[in-house]
Each structure stands twice: as structure tokens, then as C-alpha cells.
Amino acid sequence: MSVKKKLVVIPGIILAFILYSLSQGINNVIGIELLGYEKSPISTAMFAIIIGMILGNIFKIRKMFLIGLDFTQKNILKLGIICLGIQLKPFEFLKFGTIAIPLIIICIISVLAVIKLVIKKLKIPTRMAYLISIGSTVCGTTAIMATAPVIKANKSEVSYAIANMTLFGIFSMLVYPYFANFYFDAQPLLVGLFLGTSIHETSQVAAAGLIYEQQFNSPETLNIATVTKLIRNTFLVIMIPLFAFLYNRGNVVKKNYSLVSIFPYFVLGFIGMIIVRNLGDYYFIESNNKVWTDTISLIKAFSKVFLTMAMAAIGLSTNFRDIKSMGYKPFVVGLIGMTTVGIVSIFCIEIFTEIFTY
């Protein structure tokens, strides 16, 4: 990236940081000063999303901020997720992954089957259906953007699909943490698995996990939700070629996608941070215990700041007028997709709980 391009992103990043600081300040005033808690029980991430959405829909965001806000949503979010890896140890990653993988596979197959039936009834265009399907099952906007050129989707279809993910993703990331806490009786493993499999976007899962952690004081839930979602993201490598084959079968087309280009590399950064934590615990826990624990705390703090900045940027970039103008049929499909993956996730978690209990 050139120096000029680097400077262009700065205003948007600063705006996201200001909103993070404002959200943290409001949270402290309400939670500590007014309610009298030592630590606010309300989520700063939730404040950041809501304030961002309010401001983004009252005021028109100037062009000078948009590039930086987009950079914050994509890259600073990934940096925050990578930093989250410092909270986990390798065996925890493997333990959660063993349970998450079959759950993810069942959810993907179920949603694809249901959406295929629904689009026949509603007569949704094939490319639109493919985009909504992969967005609902794998990783939201990222999956849509990666799939669009493979099936030659136009801008209108991509916009519809992304608006779909945005609308239902915002709803789920604000509601599911509270629903999951009630339904799963505050069990971190079950809540984390549900958040990681039932919410579309990586950013939305991170937000829901962060809201849950801050609201119910459960860092483990955030870890499990993040691991589950990152494993789910890697299914892009399987799903994009599959969708390309299904859409283009019978036609002579050239392969216009690359497995290298669609792989979510920040997953490797997350795993790398887990390894750093493990090595640090092994080498420094006795000789430089305070320095190492302070380093872990600092990286954890940075992860929360980066993730909350990304939530503020997402809120600012959510335009309800655009969503309203896009018609209802694709949103019916999106609603059914969101409901299906949620129900299947709950059902499978209940079954897995019984299996692993006995």
C-alpha cells in the first residue's frame, strides 16, 4: 500500500476510534456512575453498533471517512480476531474444533436444502439464491463477494444478498447473546457453539461473543464462538468450488476463482497467536511471570478495542434506506435461512450434549 493510500484510511479509522471511546464513556457513566457497579454490566460493543447505526442513518457519512471505515470493518476486525487468539491454548482449540466441525457441516447441509426448496416457491433468481445460500451458511458478506464472480452475479444481486446478511446479522448479534444465555442456561460451550454457527458474519459473531462476554462475564464463550466461526470460514475453500460446479455444470466455462485467494488467512494469524500464548506460558510463566501476564492482558485489551472499533464502523455503514428499497422476497429467503440455521444449531447442540454427556 502506498503512503498516499495509507493516509486515506486514517480519517475513517480515527472516526471509528472516537465512536469506540464515546461508547466506552457512555457505558461507564451508565453502568458505573448511575447503576453503581464496579464494572459496567452493559456491553460497549452493543453501544458502538447502536450509536453507529443511529449516526450513520441521521447523517450522510462523508467520502473522506468511507475508505477508512471499510478498512476498519475488514482489516482492523481481523487484527482484533487474531489478538483474541492470545486467550486460548492449542488443546482448547482442538477440543472446541472437534465438536464444532460436525455441527457446522450439518448446519450447512440443512440450510442449503431448505433454501433450495424455498427459492422454487418464491421464484428467486438462481444467482441471488446462490449468494444468499452461501452467505447464510459460511461467512456472510465475505462468502458473497468471493462467490459473485464465480457465478457471474451482477451488482444488484450482490447488493441484495449483502443487505440480507446485514439485516438478519444485526438482529441476531443483538438478540442471540441474551436468547442463548437463557436457553442454554449460561453454559459457555453451548452458547459459544450456537453463536458461532447461527450468526452469518465473522464481525457479527465477534460482536455477539463480545456482548456476551461483557454482559455475562464469560471470556470462554467469546473464545468458543470465535473458534467455531473461524472453522466455519475455512469451509469457503470447499463451498466456492462446489457452487461453481453446480452453477456452471452443463456449460463450458473457465475456472475464474483461486483457492489461494479465497482462503481466510487471518485464521492462521489466530492460530499463530494461540501458539505464541502456549510458548509464552511455557518459557516465561516462571522467570518473567508479571511481564508475560501483563503482555497477555495488553493484547486482550487491544483485541476488544479493535473489535469494538469494527462494530462502530459497521454501524456507521449500515444504511436502512438501501435495505428498505430492495423488495421482500430475498429477505423472506434470508429470514428462513437464519431461522433454519438457528433451529438446526440448537437441535444438534442438544444431541451432541447428550452424546458427550454419556
Side-chain angles (χ1 to χ4, degrees):
M1 186 185 286
S2 66
V3 175
K4 187 176 180 180
K5 286 184 177 179
K6 287 179 182 177
L7 293 175
V8 169
V9 304
I10 290 176
I13 294 174
I14 292 174
L15 179 59
F17 183 77
I18 290 171
L19 273 189
Y20 154 74
S21 302
L22 176 64
S23 302
Q24 185 66 59
I26 292 173
N27 193 13
N28 288 340
V29 169
I30 294 175
I32 299 173
E33 301 297 330
L34 296 181
L35 299 179
Y37 288 93
E38 185 176 338
K39 179 184 175 184
S40 177
I42 307 169
S43 169
T44 301
M46 181 182 288
F47 273 120
I49 295 163
I50 294 172
I51 293 171
M53 286 192 294
I54 292 170
L55 295 179
N57 283 276
I58 293 176
F59 304 103
K60 185 176 180 180
I61 306 299
R62 293 189 178 182
K63 192 175 181 180
M64 63 180 289
F65 294 111
L66 294 177
I67 297 174
L69 289 173
D70 185 61
F71 180 87
T72 302
Q73 289 182 58
K74 293 177 181 177
N75 296 293
I76 291 184
L77 169 74
K78 291 174 183 176
L79 185 58
I81 291 171
I82 289 170
C83 289
L84 274 181
I86 202 71
Q87 299 184 161
L88 277 167
K89 297 179 180 179
F91 290 114
E92 290 179 312
F93 183 86
L94 294 173
K95 180 179 72 174
F96 302 151
T98 303
I99 303 171
I101 289 173
L103 178 60
I104 291 166
I105 292 171
I106 294 170
C107 286
I108 288 175
I109 293 171
S110 302
V111 173
L112 291 179
V114 169
I115 288 180
K116 186 175 181 180
L117 293 174
V118 172
I119 60 175
K120 286 184 178 179
K121 295 289 184 182
L122 294 178
K123 297 180 181 177
I124 299 291
T126 302
R127 291 183 300 210
M128 174 80 72
Y130 272 77
L131 294 179
I132 293 174
S133 297
I134 198 162
S136 300
T137 53
V138 186
C139 56
T141 300
T142 304
I144 289 168
M145 296 301 291
T147 307
V150 175
I151 63 174
K152 298 180 174 61
N154 59 44
K155 289 183 180 179
S156 165
E157 290 165 333
V158 172
S159 297
Y160 263 73
I162 289 176
N164 205 300
M165 295 303 106
T166 301
L167 179 66
F168 293 113
I170 289 172
F171 171 82
S172 57
M173 74 182 177
L174 294 177
V175 173
Y176 280 8
Y178 303 95
F179 165 76
N181 184 68
F182 169 76
Y183 185 86
F184 293 112
D185 197 25
Q187 296 181 64
L189 175 62
L190 306 188
V191 174
L193 288 171
F194 175 73
L195 296 179
T197 52
S198 62
I199 300 176
H200 301 326
E201 292 269 4
T202 303
S203 58
Q204 293 158 358
V205 172
L210 195 57
I211 288 169
Y212 191 91
E213 183 208 34
Q214 294 170 344
Q215 204 76 46
F216 302 107
N217 192 28
S218 178
E220 187 182 358
T221 298
L222 175 59
N223 296 341
I224 296 165
T226 303
V227 168
T228 303
K229 187 66 181 75
L230 294 185
I231 292 172
R232 188 174 156 200
N233 287 353
T234 60
F235 276 77
L236 262 183
V237 177
I238 300 170
M239 297 302 293
I240 298 289
L242 176 62
F243 273 42
F245 168 76
L246 292 175
Y247 183 80
N248 294 316
R249 60 184 170 180
N251 301 320
V252 180
V253 293
K254 293 181 179 179
K255 175 182 171 183
N256 56 352
Y257 61 91
S258 165
L259 294 181
V260 173
S261 66
I262 64 175
F263 186 82
Y265 283 99
F266 66 96
V267 174
L268 301 181
F270 180 81
I271 295 171
M273 191 62 76
I274 296 173
I275 294 171
V276 168
R277 169 64 188 271
N278 188 63
L279 292 175
D281 283 354
Y282 182 79
Y283 287 108
F284 302 131
I285 202 68
E286 292 182 3
S287 58
N288 294 286
N289 185 31
K290 188 172 188 314
V291 174
W292 178 236
T293 53
D294 287 348
T295 301
I296 292 172
S297 299
L298 183 63
I299 295 173
K300 285 181 182 178
F302 273 123
S303 74
K304 306 298 167 49
V305 173
F306 294 150
L307 290 173
T308 308
M309 285 174 62
M311 298 311 106
I314 289 167
L316 284 168
S317 304
T318 303
N319 191 319
F320 291 122
R321 287 182 293 274
D322 291 343
I323 293 174
K324 185 179 177 181
S325 67
M326 291 185 173
Y328 77 93
K329 283 188 177 181
F331 291 104
V332 172
V333 178
L335 174 61
I336 292 171
M338 181 191 75
T339 306
T340 301
V341 76
I343 292 172
V344 171
S345 177
I346 290 171
F347 179 72
C348 291
I349 288 170
E350 294 282 7
I351 292 175
F352 289 173
T353 303
E354 292 293 328
I355 292 172
F356 284 103
T357 299
Y358 296 103

